[in-house]
Amino acid sequence: MPAEKKRIEPGGTLGIIGGGQLGRMTALAAARLGIDCHFYCPEAESPAFAVTKSHTCAAYDDLEALARFAEAVEIVSFEFENVPAESVRAAAEKVPVRPGWGVLEIAQERVAEKSFFNRLGIGTAPWRPVGSGAELTDAVAAIGRPAILKTTRFGYDGKGQVRIDASTDLDAAWAAMKGQPAILEGFVDFAFEASILVARGVDGETACFDVVENRHRQGILDVTIAPAAISPILARRAQEIAVNAAEALDLVGLLAVELFVTTDGKLLVNEMAPRPHNSGHWTMNACYTDQFEQFVRAVCGLPLGRPDRFADAVMTNLIGDEVDAWPQLLAEPGVFVHLYGKAESRAGRKMGHVNRITPRRI
Ligand code: AMP
């Protein structure tokens, strides 16, 4: 079997770089198919380690540890995409890595990501790369205010971002980037935020989950509503965007695409993540195949499952001490509770989520 078609059968082992809750839920889904996950993560208290029989606890740039890890597994994937290129290469010398470095390279850097979508004819907020205070002044003159200045790398949950309003001092905004390369984005007047997840298998088959609405609080996903209240035409356009992107990337795995639904009824891409995504947690209790099982099937070279939704769902993240409400949540009918086994509930830390399920209406 050629390496690009290699598959993991029941009894085999999937290697996953990262070890957070996305990995933990992936391992639970893999276990249902008789597949073990071996995680590679630098933190000893990783949520994924608790549900698997073996793991590697080492730094992401420890190339020897990465090579040993890759030798112990059949295929390598990620639940965390900010991994250095050399680390991916070290693993790829031993086994297939899905999705490959080319996908991560684009998803890790906002300028590459926006350029990629724009090349496909897919709209984003207007943007300019910003590498200095002078470039920020020029970019603000071109794009106008309000706008958002973001570091091009390592931003998540709204970190590394400054909003530029009418009165914002540009020197201070640039200083907040701490010398890191940045991107200025025009502020999108959105009606709501949405996302879509597509899985793509080794043979190029694709399967999309329904488009959902996402509501954030303090930059962190708070609630996902499935399905999103959008027209069938926009829903089809969202699927087209996700499938086009997955195909152009030649991605094997799962791709989450975050979208703005504008007040004038257009879709603009905000960003993508080539892995399971927080906005797909609702699928665990409302779809025939959930995002984690679909991810395992795709990267293991197995047939994809049906992504159809059989119920409506509202997913709510349990952030920080919100997790203390678990006794009441467990007692609530129609609620599915998912806890990540994290010992300490710090502010802003995702501790678990709940899915509230109701009969499917449309
Ligand atoms: P990001 O880290 O790019 O996902 O941004 C975090 C959140 O900031 C998004 O989910 C939006 O709520 C908001 N945001 C980011 N970029 C823009 C933009 N260009 N226009 C309006 N809101 C934005």
Side-chain angles (χ1 to χ4, degrees):
M1 189 182 288
E4 66 274 12
K5 298 272 163 132
K6 181 175 170 182
R7 76 172 186 206
I8 298 185
E9 299 183 353
T13 305
L14 171 65
I16 298 186
I17 296 180
Q21 63 267 15
L22 300 175
R24 178 182 172 102
M25 291 183 276
T26 300
L28 297 174
R32 288 200 299 271
L33 302 178
I35 293 170
D36 284 322
C37 289
H38 180 131
F39 287 91
Y40 185 106
C41 188
E43 284 114 41
E45 298 293 311
S46 295
F49 290 174
V51 299
T52 46
K53 63 183 182 204
S54 51
H55 64 257
T56 301
C57 188
Y60 287 129
D61 58 1
D62 182 342
L63 300 185
E64 277 172 32
L66 272 157
R68 279 197 305 278
F69 156 75
E71 269 163 15
V73 304
E74 291 162 70
I75 288 169
V76 166
S77 192
F78 307 87
E79 64 93 74
F80 166 83
E81 68 269 28
N82 285 323
V83 179
E86 313 81 67
S87 309
V88 179
R89 227 174 280 129
E93 276 172 18
K94 310 277 180 192
V95 288
V97 175
R98 297 176 183 158
W101 169 245
V103 177
L104 267 67
E105 193 177 25
I106 296 174
Q108 282 180 358
E109 209 270 337
R110 293 185 193 273
V111 169
E113 186 175 50
K114 293 251 180 341
S115 307
F116 165 75
F117 282 105
N118 294 162
R119 269 200 307 278
L120 292 178
I122 296 169
T124 57
W127 58 273
R128 291 277 186 291
V130 171
S132 66
E135 282 179 18
L136 177 59
T137 305
D138 291 348
V140 171
I143 287 176
R145 303 182 188 221
I148 302 192
L149 184 65
K150 304 177 179 180
T151 55
T152 61
R153 288 179 181 275
F154 306 122
Y156 67 95
D157 290 346
K159 291 190 172 65
Q161 302 192 7
V162 178
R163 191 179 154 137
I164 300 194
D165 289 313
S167 60
T168 307
D169 174 54
L170 296 187
D171 289 336
W174 173 244
M177 298 292 106
K178 301 193 176 105
Q180 299 172 85
I183 182 172
L184 185 77
E185 295 180 18
F187 195 82
V188 177
D189 181 21
F190 57 79
F192 60 90
E193 292 183 77
S195 61
I196 180 159
L197 270 163
V198 61
R200 185 165 181 270
V202 288
D203 293 323
E205 76 175 303
T206 56
C208 291
F209 290 103
D210 280 349
V211 183
V212 295
E213 175 179 342
N214 298 313
R215 297 186 184 164
H216 296 81
R217 205 155 30 99
Q218 292 167 343
I220 303 176
L221 182 64
D222 180 23
V223 173
T224 296
I225 300 162
I230 57 171
S231 69
I233 294 173
L234 268 197
R236 227 171 301 126
R237 176 66 190 142
Q239 288 201 0
E240 247 171 49
I241 289 173
V243 170
N244 284 356
E247 288 177 345
L249 293 165
D250 196 18
L251 172 133
V252 174
L254 204 54
L255 184 71
V257 183
E258 293 182 24
L259 301 157
F260 297 121
V261 182
T262 63
T263 46
D264 58 352
K266 286 208 228 23
L267 293 180
L268 299 177
V269 169
N270 176 27
E271 60 181 3
M272 66 175 170
R275 52 164 170 77
H277 195 258
N278 195 168
S279 72
H281 290 359
W282 66 278
T283 63
M284 297 172 86
N285 302 108
C287 294
Y288 290 115
T289 311
D290 70 49
Q291 67 159 344
F292 298 103
E293 180 172 330
Q294 198 73 305
F295 174 59
V296 170
R297 286 172 176 247
V299 297
C300 291
L302 302 172
L304 299 183
R306 279 182 62 181
D308 310 44
R309 175 173 54 84
F310 58 75
D312 290 355
V314 176
M315 187 287 307
T316 305
N317 271 333
L318 302 174
I319 294 168
D321 59 13
E322 286 167 3
V323 72
D324 297 344
W326 66 264
Q328 296 89 290
L329 293 166
L330 281 175
E332 207 183 306
V335 174
F336 292 84
V337 179
H338 301 267
L339 302 178
Y340 307 152
K342 296 181 184 176
E344 222 191 313
S345 71
R346 288 193 295 273
R349 193 170 197 211
K350 291 174 180 167
M351 302 298 293
H353 69 271
V354 293
N355 286 331
R356 290 192 169 81
I357 300 301
T358 49
R360 178 173 171 147
R361 280 166 306 148
I362 40 164

